[in-house]
Amino acid sequence: MRQKIEEKVGRQMQTPKDFDYLSDCVFEECHQKISPTTLKRLWGYLSEVATPRISTLNILSQFVGCQDWESFCRQMQPPIEQEEKPVEQAERLAEQAEKPVEQSERFAEQKVMSGEKAVRPALKWLPYAVVAVLLIAGGMWLAYSRTSESGHYRLVQGQKFATYQDYLRLFGIENAATYWGCPLPHHPDIVVWGPEYHHPHWQNEGDRSQMMPTITERWAPKEADSAMIVMRNCDKFNHEVRLNEVRITFMKNLVDTSYVFLGVYRLSLSQSDTTRCVWERVADECDLASLSYLEELRN
């Protein structure tokens, strides 16, 4: 992919200006933005290791003339013979089974003509039919098992978790140093958030009876002076606007001492200001099978 892109733009990606230029070229042709930093990671220009998102690979595939990343991979790889599907295999065996049946029928007709007792031909092809049925059933079971194993598991509002480790494991996060703000692996703009209802420092206020449609986050410890509170909340607001995160939220102490899933939140630009950050719920569920769609919920 890197080679195809460099051929298209007519230069090798070696300097920051090259990546800025490529970012502009992609946006001009595909009308979708890929940041120079993301491109630097793809070329190994940065030391940090990160797996590119499928959405990024799809855009780059379109840039080099393919429909998506899967199409690009098929185009780059030589065709391979596909395994015979169970249904096709069953049909082939059934066709082969017809030949013994036809032979048995002819043989039976000859026996009848000669006065001998005919052998029932149906019994001779019964094993082939059994094999065909088993293959079809096996194919259906395999398709079902693959669907079941594909991980289509949804978090729904109100689900409880005894500890924060229980829900962090769902996102592949182990041994987290903190639980209240863990970025998803490969999705730095999507955060698993674990606020505490009525936190002594951060408040975290909202309508408890409605499962917190908004969460007001305001730093105001009792021991802090007013000037420090003003400065800290102003910095917090500017920081969150710049990050533009989406937060998958599990709140502690809302219904009991457990963590309850509230939904997916983003910063409300209309309700937030330099004195507070107001997070609004934009989704009641979270599909764990493919978290990339959450990028579309950002401001």
Side-chain angles (χ1 to χ4, degrees), residues 253-298:
N253 297 336
L254 183 67
V255 294
D256 50 32
T257 57
S258 65
Y259 297 82
V260 59
F261 174 67
L262 297 180
V264 182
Y265 288 71
R266 71 181 176 200
L267 188 68
S268 173
L269 298 178
S270 61
Q271 301 179 68
S272 302
D273 54 35
T274 56
T275 66
R276 62 180 184 172
C277 289
V278 179
W279 299 89
E280 59 181 348
R281 183 165 57 231
V282 291
D284 296 335
E285 298 183 351
C286 180
D287 186 357
L288 297 177
S290 176
L291 295 169
S292 298
Y293 80 99
L294 295 177
E295 296 282 357
E296 301 174 2
L297 300 178
R298 300 171 66 200

Side-chain angles (χ1 to χ4, degrees), residues 98-238:
E98 291 178 358
K99 295 180 180 180
V101 172
E102 294 172 356
Q103 294 174 357
S104 298
E105 290 175 346
R106 288 197 300 270
F107 179 76
E109 290 174 357
Q110 293 173 359
K111 290 293 185 180
V112 170
M113 293 294 293
S114 62
E116 298 181 9
K117 186 177 180 180
V119 178
R120 297 181 65 88
L123 295 178
K124 291 196 172 184
W125 62 267
L126 182 60
Y128 296 98
V130 172
V131 171
V133 171
L134 291 176
L135 286 172
I136 294 173
M140 295 175 64
W141 176 85
L142 181 61
Y144 172 78
S145 64
R146 286 177 178 173
T147 302
S148 301
E149 293 171 359
S150 61
H152 287 286
Y153 178 72
R154 286 181 175 271
L155 286 168
V156 295
Q157 189 182 79
Q159 278 185 261
K160 292 183 181 181
F161 298 85
T163 68
Y164 64 84
Q165 290 95 339
D166 293 337
Y167 64 76
L168 287 179
R169 290 192 192 100
L170 299 177
F171 303 94
I173 301 174
E174 299 283 351
N175 303 319
T178 61
Y179 67 87
W180 52 84
C182 298
L184 290 186
H186 316 309
H187 292 280
D189 301 320
I190 303 175
V191 173
V192 182
W193 187 30
E196 181 179 337
Y197 185 64
H198 282 171
H199 191 278
H201 289 178
W202 290 101
Q203 309 301 309
N204 296 329
E205 303 290 344
D207 188 347
R208 185 176 184 177
S209 64
Q210 298 297 321
M211 296 293 285
M212 310 292 284
T214 61
I215 301 174
T216 300
E217 187 181 23
R218 180 174 180 271
W219 189 78
K222 293 181 179 179
E223 64 274 13
D225 60 61
S226 58
M228 178 62 70
I229 290 175
V230 169
M231 183 177 66
R232 182 69 179 272
N233 284 301
C234 182
D235 290 344
K236 171 71 172 174
F237 170 74
N238 292 326

Side-chain angles (χ1 to χ4, degrees), residues 26 30 32-34 54-63:
V26 172
C30 301
Q32 299 188 73
K33 182 69 174 177
I34 299 180
I54 291 297
S55 58
T56 300
L57 295 175
N58 286 338
I59 295 171
L60 293 176
S61 299
Q62 295 168 14
F63 182 67

